[in-house]
Amino acid sequence: MISCILIDDEKKARETFDMIVQRYLPKKLKVLALAESIKEGVYAIQKLRPDIVFLDIEMPVENGFKLFEYFDAIPFEVVFLTAFKNYAIDAIRFSAFDYLLKPLDQTELSGVISRFSKRKNEENNYQRIQNLLNNLSIGSDIGAKIALPTLSGYQMEKVSQIIYCEADDNYTKIHTVRGDFILVSRSLKIVEEMLPSRYFFRIHKSYLINLNFVKSYNRNEGHKVTLENGLELEIATRRNEEFVKALTKARD
């Protein structure tokens, strides 16, 4: 049986989680503790050593991400809980974490438990958490590195070295200044959420470009943009006006 601890400041959320586990997953998941703060959760983790920590992101005093500052190594899996589907969720998904949106759904919780069982020892938890925190801290820093999930693990790449990103079904090709590409096991939409919007613009459903590598823009021949590597790409009509604004905006 898989053991877990829930850290959530909302009493109702803790009670709902415990009820769902007892009703739908009594033979698969054992709740060791229900903590209402990071401090209480750290104590419970150190004492009880759970397999999984279900962690609320939005909490007063210390948010969910503060939990990792208390551990030099991460001997447990983390599943984030949140009521807001925002940039943090995309970062979590990008770094191969599991997450659940509130209000909690028993079917989705069951899915998380199944995925945990399959990948239990696939990858070092600490490294994945470091990748997550790195990706969350990128912000608008064009000089930062991003952890790109590949089929074999992760590849670190400077954001400033990415010329453009190309959709490839549920994957994305990250084209770099070296002339090669990195095949990322995430959709272009998720990649777009991870890269700083100050520098990257989605010109088409299939292309996300680094505005710093735009060589020219031609509005007389179907609204096309030419990149520094000579590649010419068409801009979707509905995105043209917004693209011009983004292109002419200062990006110091």
Side-chain angles (χ1 to χ4, degrees):
M1 182 180 289
I2 298 169
S3 62
C4 75
I5 285 174
L6 170 69
I7 304 176
D8 195 315
D9 64 298
E10 297 179 7
K11 182 179 179 181
K12 184 177 181 180
R14 297 194 300 272
E15 292 174 344
T16 298
F17 180 88
D18 191 48
M19 180 273 292
I20 289 177
V21 172
Q22 298 305 323
R23 179 175 297 182
Y24 299 104
L25 299 166
K27 296 181 179 180
K28 294 184 178 181
L29 191 61
K30 182 179 181 180
V31 180
L32 301 178
L34 299 171
E36 62 177 332
S37 67
I38 293 298
K39 183 177 180 180
E40 189 176 316
V42 169
Y43 176 79
I45 291 169
Q46 293 174 336
K47 180 181 179 181
L48 302 173
R49 300 182 180 278
D51 296 313
I52 303 177
V53 172
F54 289 90
L55 180 62
D56 186 25
I57 295 176
E58 298 86 11
M59 291 190 290
V61 185
E62 294 180 301
N63 68 27
F65 297 117
K66 288 290 184 178
L67 175 72
F68 309 121
E69 296 180 7
Y70 292 89
F71 297 91
D72 293 325
I74 310 296
F76 50 85
E77 179 61 279
V78 177
V79 178
F80 286 99
L81 304 175
T82 181
F84 304 100
K85 192 173 182 180
N86 55 20
Y87 77 94
I89 291 304
D90 291 299
I92 292 163
R93 188 190 297 119
F94 196 81
S95 297
F97 272 70
D98 272 317
Y99 73 95
L100 292 168
L101 291 176
K102 294 180 178 180
L104 193 62
D105 179 85
Q106 64 92 5
T107 301
E108 293 181 355
L109 177 59
S110 296
V112 165
I113 298 306
S114 295
R115 289 193 293 275
F116 171 80
S117 298
K118 291 178 181 179
R119 76 178 192 193
K120 187 172 182 179
N121 295 310
E122 280 185 5
E123 189 180 353
N124 180 277
N125 288 335
Y126 181 76
Q127 184 58 53
R128 289 198 291 107
I129 288 171
Q130 285 303 114
N131 290 338
L132 167 68
L133 298 178
N134 288 340
N135 291 344
L136 281 173
S137 66
I138 285 175
S140 61
D141 188 358
I142 193 68
K145 279 190 174 183
I146 187 171
L148 300 171
T150 64
L151 296 176
S152 59
Y154 287 91
Q155 182 167 332
M156 300 301 294
E157 184 62 66
K158 285 186 177 180
V159 174
S160 61
Q161 300 299 295
I162 298 173
I163 299 179
Y164 73 103
C165 307
E166 178 184 9
D168 187 6
D169 292 328
N170 291 323
Y171 295 84
T172 300
K173 291 180 179 178
I174 307 290
H175 296 265
T176 74
V177 295
R178 298 182 299 274
D180 61 0
F181 69 83
I182 303 165
L183 184 63
V184 174
S185 54
R186 297 293 185 274
S187 69
L188 184 60
K189 181 180 183 300
I190 295 176
V191 172
E192 180 183 8
E193 292 291 338
M194 284 304 307
L195 292 170
S197 59
R198 188 179 183 184
Y199 302 99
F200 288 83
F201 188 87
R202 184 81 171 265
I203 63 169
H204 187 276
K205 66 179 181 180
S206 299
Y207 297 105
L208 174 71
I209 67 171
N210 186 337
L211 295 172
N212 288 315
F213 286 99
V214 172
K215 183 177 182 180
S216 64
Y217 163 66
N218 192 328
R219 62 185 179 187
N220 297 322
E221 297 181 10
H223 300 295
K224 295 181 180 180
V225 61
T226 301
L227 303 181
E228 291 288 350
N229 63 355
L231 181 67
E232 187 177 74
L233 298 172
E234 186 174 345
I235 304 170
T237 303
R238 63 183 180 80
R239 306 243 54 198
N240 187 65
E241 184 176 344
E242 189 177 349
F243 169 73
V244 172
K245 291 180 180 179
L247 185 64
T248 55
K249 184 178 180 180
R251 290 182 298 280
D252 297 329

